[in-house]
Amino acid sequence: VALNCGRGALAYLVELRGIRAMWVPDWVCASVTDLLEREGVDVRLYRVGRDMLPAYDFAVAPGEWMLLMDYYGQLRPADVGRALAHSGGRLAVDETQGFFRAPWRGADTLYTCRKWFGVADGGYLATRDGARLDRELPRDESRGRMGFVLGRLERGAGEFYAEAGENNASFASEPAKLMSAVTEDILRAVDYADVAERRRANWRALHAALGESNGLRLAEPEAPFMYPYMVDGAQQVRRRLIAAGVFVPVLWPDLPGGLPEGSVARELSGSILPLPVDQRYGGDEMDYMLEVLSGCTC
């Protein structure tokens, strides 16, 4: 089902499956928990371990659902199999960071588009059984959101950072809609094989240089989202990269409230540097980033 955004896909799933309670990882953007609460879902948090997998110290009761995140595309079939068994088959896998992953058999799979391609919105839901809502959804419209996407083609990304953030925030109150015609047409023009290969080449270049010093043990994703580099003094390194013109975000700085300061979720959020490897870049940019990193006291 082609929808307006990842959150729209989650809202669609909640309605489709009649979800009233869901277990959600504590290492997640607050927008996910906010959306579920808006949809009348009782949110229950489970702990994520340092391996970026559920700690499995919780029980999914009959009627409850579980959301599993594929952090940096590192999920293995065995991981999804364990989550399916633990949830009694009531499992949704969030592939925000694994767009090129095929839908997981036996689970509902959620995707987002704007974190991967030059679009302002868009998402997909692959249902495990082909189920769809029997009501008509309105179609989204994207023409008013395209300013920052088009502007970044002609000027620096920093000039449109605030506008991109406003676009992201605008989905907080958006209901599920069908994907806009603008986004559908742009996505039809994407050379997906080329995108995947460029991302893999960039990821390999960084991993060859940084793998030994990385606090994470990584498997190469099918098509990488970013290169997660866990390092001591990450905030100092991030500032150095940003000063050199390399934007490195903090993913999910707005973790759900109530998490203790020393929680694994907070540690992962603060100590992992998501280094860019997307299709806009190539070997020269990877070499430049590694040169900047080589000057850091990591």
Side-chain angles (χ1 to χ4, degrees):
V1 186
L3 295 156
N4 53 330
C5 60
R7 275 174 271 184
L10 183 56
Y12 187 105
L13 180 66
V14 166
E15 181 178 349
L16 177 68
R17 302 300 188 196
I19 298 172
R20 288 294 167 260
M22 179 171 261
W23 285 93
V24 176
D26 57 2
W27 189 25
V28 71
C29 178
S31 64
V32 172
T33 54
D34 290 347
L35 179 139
L36 289 171
E37 290 169 353
R38 188 192 78 197
E39 297 294 322
V41 177
D42 183 11
V43 175
R44 295 158 192 192
L45 297 179
Y46 66 80
R47 292 187 305 112
V48 171
R50 286 180 173 80
D51 57 2
M52 301 190 289
L53 293 171
Y56 287 111
D57 56 357
F58 64 101
V60 181
E64 297 178 346
W65 281 68
M66 177 179 171
L67 181 67
L68 179 67
M69 307 292 292
D70 187 6
Y71 299 107
Y72 298 102
Q74 294 296 300
L75 276 184
R76 301 164 300 176
D79 301 326
V80 178
R82 183 178 182 186
L84 276 167
H86 191 80
S87 64
R90 297 177 301 280
L91 179 70
V93 181
D94 188 321
E95 286 293 356
T96 294
Q97 298 185 3
F99 183 87
F100 286 79
R101 275 268 167 91
W104 291 98
R105 182 172 296 181
D108 296 314
T109 311
L110 305 148
Y111 301 90
T112 190
C113 304
R114 60 196 169 87
K115 297 181 186 297
W116 291 78
F117 310 105
V119 291
D121 46 52
Y124 295 103
L125 169 64
T127 58
R128 65 177 187 240
D129 52 7
R132 300 175 72 107
L133 290 174
D134 57 8
R135 70 178 179 90
E136 193 86 15
L137 264 65
R139 183 173 288 277
D140 198 14
E141 295 185 348
S142 301
R143 63 184 184 278
R145 301 192 189 109
M146 293 298 293
F148 76 94
V149 177
L150 298 175
R152 287 177 63 165
L153 296 174
E154 298 180 330
R155 299 185 186 178
E159 186 173 339
F160 299 93
Y161 178 76
E163 188 177 337
E166 290 166 6
N167 178 68
N168 183 50
S170 71
F171 292 106
S173 57
E174 280 283 300
K177 299 177 182 178
L178 297 179
M179 184 181 288
S180 76
V182 169
T183 297
E184 278 189 341
D185 282 350
I186 292 173
L187 292 173
R188 283 195 193 100
V190 172
D191 184 338
Y192 290 98
D194 182 64
V195 167
E197 184 50 44
R198 286 173 182 264
R199 285 176 173 266
R200 282 193 293 268
N202 290 336
W203 192 96
R204 288 168 185 158
L206 294 184
H207 193 57
L210 303 175
E212 288 298 318
S213 60
N214 196 339
L216 297 173
R217 302 277 70 86
L218 300 173
E220 182 180 322
E222 189 169 344
F225 173 61
M226 292 177 137
Y227 183 81
Y229 186 40
M230 178 182 273
V231 64
D232 293 335
Q235 300 312 313
Q236 178 185 349
V237 179
R238 176 180 279 108
R239 286 192 292 270
R240 187 182 182 98
L241 286 164
I242 292 173
V246 181
F247 175 64
V248 181
V250 179
L251 297 186
W252 307 315
D254 54 343
L255 294 170
L259 293 186
E261 220 26 70
S263 70
V264 172
R266 290 198 182 280
E267 177 189 343
L268 292 172
S269 183
S271 62
I272 294 177
L273 299 172
L275 303 178
V277 296
D278 68 67
Q279 61 270 20
R280 294 171 295 178
Y281 309 121
D284 289 345
E285 287 82 7
M286 298 303 105
D287 288 344
Y288 175 71
M289 189 158 34
L290 290 171
E291 183 181 340
V292 175
L293 285 168
S294 71
C296 298
T297 53
C298 303

